[in-house]
Amino acid sequence: MFAAAVGVGRSALLVEMVKVVFTPSGRRGSFPVNTPLLQAARVLGVDIDSVCGGRGLCGRCQISCAEGSFPKHQIESTRASLSPLCATEIKYGERKSPLLDGRRLSCHTLLLDDVVIDVPAESQVHRQIVRKAAEYRDIALDPAIRLYYVEVDAADMHVPKGDLQRLIEALDEGWQLPDLRCDSRLLKTLQPALAEGHRGITAAVSKAKNIVALWPGLREVAYGIAVDVGSTTIAVDLCDLTSGEVLGSASAMNPQIRFGEDLMSRVSYVMMHPEGAEEMTRAIRQALNKLFAEVVAQVNGTLDDILEVSLVANPIMHHILLGISPVELGGAPFALATDAAVEIPARELELTINGGGRLYILPCIAGHVGADTAGVILSEEPQCQDQMTLLVDVGTNAEIVLGNRQRLLACSSPTGPAFEGAQISCGQRAAAGAVERVRIDPSSLEPRFRVIGSHIWSDQPGFAASLDQRGVTGICGSGIIEVVAEMYLAGIVSEDGVIDGALRARSARIVETGRTWSYLLHDPDDDGAQLLITQSDIRQIQLAKAALYAGIKLLMDHMGTPDIERIRLAGAFGSHIDVQRAMVLGLIPDCALDQVSSAGNAAGTGARIALLNHGSRELIESLVKRIEKIETALEPKFQDYFVDAMAFPNKSDAFPKLFSKVVRPQPRVPEAVSGSGRRRRRRV
């Protein structure tokens, strides 16, 4: 422990500082005594998982204090270096399960002295397997920036004229580009480029009649990048602006996850820590620059080759990227700082592309319907369809568009992070080892499943050998959808979402957990974690899917249509869920199953269209102004629809198209109850 002088006006305040080292990352720093460990981890960029925003509810931020002498770090680390176990941690142990010996909740553990902290694997934010690949699209190529080669007249004492004026005249004469302007930043490079190119020069010129870059001689390489900034993942595609070809792609987890799993938890973080907005802005910009470098290296290019970036994002990501506080989006009336498209020099956001490169961000639609939805619309073109089309981008906040060539409506619905594995007892993001497919035998109630990273089902030979050393680690969004749907179809879960404890007599898979029952999906020997689907997990899925369905019903009401003819599911989650089981849950409305399909990363495709076709920008900017926005929070029917949608698939809607293909489970006859009226249970 040591003291540091902190300036306050003309005086100085001595503050006791302590050192902390996090393993296995090796990140270290010094902080004032009584700094929460989770806060220190965030400052140092240590990815400790947290869903509840540091409230001590989720238990995902657990750490261990390494005890002993660490000469390398010059630290004697003991448990006394941390604050004693607090009431919140004790309450967590009573509510879920006691913390293992030496484990602490980092959000409620304070630094008292120099210490070495170990972050166990289950508390780390593992690199996600991102599944946002560019899809083939036939796009009319008309980029906003093009390359033009000209030969510029040599200087002439008898014709007093600057080289910039000669360049502008040459571009007008050779390419019919009148009234061009040039950034003064380029003046210092103009004459050296003319000399090196022997008066031949290539200019990059934007549709706005700006010369944005210059190179000596003939240059034929110009790149653009399409970006989809999601709350969980970031995906970028490198495109050749002269051919439209996708040359490379890269993806990464959004580093803001360490500030909160879902969007509203990040807004809450900013509310509690005003400086947090700048931290998140810096984190997302650094992540983009890292991805830009990664993707351009795939073609042996340089960052100077990138002339334009086209970007989509939800409203909160949009504001944070631009350096705007998202606090106004955290409550009614959910006011956007701007809903218009943004076009600015990329250097204003510290994006490390060509110094004259431009950034175009698609327009937002409403406070919780962002530029990513505009990208989906640009990609899917519902305004050109005769069929009544439903577009759903499922995430922590579902964005919904309904309509056809006659009319378009849009809204958002607060589904929460359950579909991404959060708030589920054994849930996780889509990473290696996560269960993604599930089938349950209705007779034996025995499950079989498949995990990410292996194509072998769990009941097939070689399954255990196909897993990595961590084995089965949890269940991701597509897996939780399938297991709950399968539990309903097998009769394990009732229409109202209650796990039937009477089935314990038939299967040891039904186990008692406190006052409720759970379904044992996986009981490991040496290949991973125990996976229990609890009554609470079922409720979380019910709440999430009911919010989504209620939003869809409101749009159907406003549209005046009783039926949906076509459904497109966008985003990484929408690309991997089983549409039949999604409909069994009542996640989406009744529709012919062959008319329900994945749109892939439609938001990213929309960003690519805007990058490669300048006219599409005017189209989406005009179209967004015509979309009718429905605010679900103000709709009196939302609660009624929400209550009905809590049932599987729905209490009021019959789903005839679905049950013409799928056998509807028959309700069980209620079992006899004891004299006290309470169902008898067997404890396992």
Side-chain angles (χ1 to χ4, degrees):
M1 184 183 298
F2 61 99
V6 179
V8 182
R10 295 187 178 181
S11 63
L13 178 66
L14 285 178
V15 177
E16 288 188 331
M17 305 288 285
V18 296
K19 292 186 294 186
V20 59
V21 177
F22 288 93
T23 62
S25 68
R27 296 185 181 239
R28 68 195 66 200
S30 298
F31 298 90
V33 168
N34 290 325
T35 298
L37 262 175
L38 184 58
Q39 179 182 328
R42 284 170 169 165
V43 169
L44 296 175
V46 178
D47 283 340
I48 296 182
D49 207 353
S50 176
V51 179
C52 64
R55 296 178 177 85
L57 301 176
C58 67
R60 296 196 180 192
C61 67
Q62 294 183 32
I63 52 85
S64 296
C65 174
E67 295 192 275
S69 179
F70 297 86
K72 176 181 176 181
H73 305 305
Q74 296 183 326
I75 290 176
E76 293 288 335
S77 181
T78 70
R79 296 187 187 185
S81 300
L82 302 175
S83 59
L85 201 69
C86 69
T88 300
E89 293 173 291
I90 295 171
K91 187 174 181 180
Y92 169 82
E94 294 170 348
R95 190 179 68 254
K96 288 200 171 182
S97 58
L99 294 170
L100 298 177
D101 184 43
R103 288 288 181 92
R104 300 293 302 277
L105 298 182
S106 62
C107 59
H108 279 72
T109 303
L110 307 181
L111 289 166
L112 300 182
D113 208 337
D114 299 346
V115 68
V116 175
I117 296 297
D118 179 60
V119 183
E122 57 268 29
S123 297
Q124 297 172 21
V125 181
H126 299 295
R127 181 177 178 86
Q128 186 178 11
I129 295 178
V130 182
R131 307 175 177 189
K132 290 188 175 181
E135 298 181 356
Y136 175 78
R137 281 295 296 267
D138 187 9
I139 302 170
L141 187 62
D142 182 23
I145 296 177
R146 287 179 177 269
L147 300 182
Y148 299 93
Y149 174 77
V150 291
E151 294 182 350
V152 180
D153 290 342
D156 186 342
M157 291 181 62
H158 301 289
V159 184
K161 191 179 294 183
D163 279 333
L164 176 60
Q165 286 66 43
R166 295 179 192 278
L167 170 63
I168 290 173
E169 286 181 0
L171 287 166
D172 188 12
E173 292 172 4
W175 296 98
Q176 292 73 55
L177 298 170
D179 306 319
L180 293 181
R181 299 176 298 277
C182 182
D183 192 324
S184 60
R185 173 190 57 83
L186 292 175
L187 285 176
K188 63 182 180 182
T189 67
L190 173 58
Q191 290 181 320
L194 286 170
E196 184 180 343
H198 305 288
R199 307 300 290 183
I201 195 168
T202 300
V205 181
S206 73
K207 293 280 188 180
K209 298 187 175 181
N210 288 315
I211 300 173
V212 299
L214 296 169
W215 294 274
L218 175 64
R219 185 180 183 87
E220 299 178 279
V221 174
Y223 299 145
I225 291 187
V227 181
D228 175 13
V229 179
S231 57
T232 304
T233 61
I234 310 168
V236 303
D237 295 320
L238 180 72
C239 300
D240 187 330
L241 293 180
T242 61
S243 68
E245 183 183 0
V246 177
L247 303 175
S249 299
S251 304
M253 290 189 65
N254 189 326
Q256 295 174 359
I257 283 177
R258 67 178 184 264
F259 300 99
E261 187 94 10
D262 60 87
L263 293 172
M264 294 315 296
S265 66
R266 293 178 206 175
V267 174
S268 297
Y269 182 81
V270 174
M271 289 176 175
M272 293 186 290
H273 306 86
E275 74 284 357
E278 291 185 11
E279 292 181 70
M280 284 191 266
T281 295
R282 186 163 51 251
I284 193 64
R285 291 178 182 178
Q286 289 173 349
L288 288 175
N289 286 331
K290 184 177 180 180
L291 285 172
F292 293 169
E294 180 181 335
V295 76
V296 81
Q298 294 175 14
V299 294
N300 297 316
T302 69
L303 291 169
D304 195 55
D305 298 331
I306 304 170
L307 298 180
E308 188 160 36
V309 174
S310 175
L311 184 143
V312 297
N314 60 60
I316 290 173
M317 293 296 97
H318 170 281
H319 278 39
I320 292 174
L321 174 67
L322 289 171
I324 302 168
S325 171
V327 167
E328 291 294 331
L329 295 171
F334 313 108
L336 290 158
T338 178
D339 61 359
V342 175
E343 187 169 3
I344 56 175
R347 63 180 181 272
E348 287 190 13
L349 299 191
E350 302 167 339
L351 299 182
T352 53
I353 64 172
N354 186 287
R358 307 289 295 179
L359 169 67
Y360 177 79
I361 305 178
L362 276 70
C364 289
I365 298 173
H368 285 295
V369 186
D372 49 354
T373 304
V376 172
I377 292 170
L378 191 56
S379 173
E380 290 298 304
E381 300 181 319
Q383 76 280 5
C384 300
Q385 305 295 325
D386 291 319
Q387 293 174 297
M388 186 57 64
T389 299
L390 176 69
L391 305 179
V392 181
D393 193 346
V394 182
T396 55
N397 192 68
E399 295 170 325
I400 311 164
V401 177
L402 177 66
N404 54 21
R405 66 176 68 251
Q406 304 298 324
R407 186 183 177 198
L408 289 179
L409 306 178
C411 76
S412 66
S413 204
T415 52
F419 292 143
E420 295 182 349
Q423 297 180 347
I424 303 300
S425 60
C426 54
Q428 67 168 83
R429 287 178 294 275
V435 173
E436 63 172 344
R437 293 280 177 263
V438 180
R439 298 292 181 268
I440 297 176
D441 186 307
S443 301
S444 66
L445 306 187
E446 284 297 302
R448 55 195 296 262
F449 56 82
R450 204 172 69 196
V451 303
I452 296 173
S454 171
H455 294 291
I456 301 176
W457 286 81
S458 60
D459 61 344
Q460 293 178 322
F463 171 71
S466 72
L467 304 177
D468 69 14
Q469 60 182 0
R470 289 180 298 168
V472 181
T473 56
I475 187 165
C476 66
S478 60
I480 195 68
I481 292 294
E482 293 202 9
V483 72
V484 177
E486 287 285 313
M487 288 170 70
Y488 170 66
L489 292 174
I492 298 169
V493 169
S494 71
E495 178 188 71
D496 294 322
V498 177
I499 298 176
D500 188 353
L503 294 175
R504 177 67 183 89
R506 285 176 49 194
S507 171
R509 294 278 174 184
I510 310 300
V511 298
E512 188 174 12
T513 49
R515 295 178 59 83
T516 59
W517 297 92
S518 298
Y519 177 74
L520 181 62
L521 176 63
H522 178 55
D523 193 10
D525 294 322
D526 56 0
D527 61 346
Q530 183 185 72
L531 305 185
L532 275 176
I533 308 304
T534 69
Q535 185 64 67
S536 176
D537 296 336
I538 304 294
R539 286 288 180 260
Q540 291 298 330
I541 293 301
Q542 286 179 285
L543 292 169
K545 71 99 173 181
L548 174 57
Y549 195 88
I552 294 170
K553 286 286 286 185
L554 286 176
L555 292 190
M556 293 173 68
D557 277 357
H558 281 269
M559 184 64 71
T561 180
D563 297 307
I564 303 294
E565 298 172 288
R566 178 173 173 264
I567 299 176
R568 295 281 281 168
L569 300 172
F573 177 75
S575 300
H576 293 89
I577 61 174
D578 181 292
V579 296
Q580 176 176 298
R581 282 157 184 82
M583 198 177 292
V584 165
L585 287 189
L587 185 70
I588 51 178
D590 194 39
C591 181
L593 287 170
D594 61 1
Q595 292 299 308
V596 184
S597 58
S598 166
N601 183 20
T605 300
R608 188 153 49 94
I609 293 170
L611 175 71
L612 299 174
N613 184 282
H614 182 264
S616 68
R617 301 180 183 184
E618 184 177 342
L619 170 65
I620 193 61
E621 289 170 22
S622 172
L623 188 58
V624 160
K625 294 176 183 176
R626 292 166 31 208
I627 296 173
E628 299 172 49
K629 296 87 175 176
I630 307 301
E631 183 51 66
T632 55
L634 303 178
E635 292 287 331
K637 281 189 175 181
F638 182 86
Q639 190 62 29
D640 293 336
Y641 288 142
F642 180 88
V643 171
D644 283 347
M646 285 288 287
F648 296 134
N650 193 278
K651 186 66 75 175
S652 301
D653 296 344
F655 284 72
K657 295 184 180 72
L658 169 67
F659 289 116
S660 68
K661 303 290 185 180
V662 178
V663 177
R664 185 193 292 269
Q666 297 301 311
R668 283 179 51 81
V669 176
E671 64 175 288
V673 296
S674 66
S676 65
R678 186 168 182 260
R679 181 176 296 176
R680 294 186 184 275
R681 295 175 176 168
R682 289 179 59 196
R683 181 176 294 275
V684 179

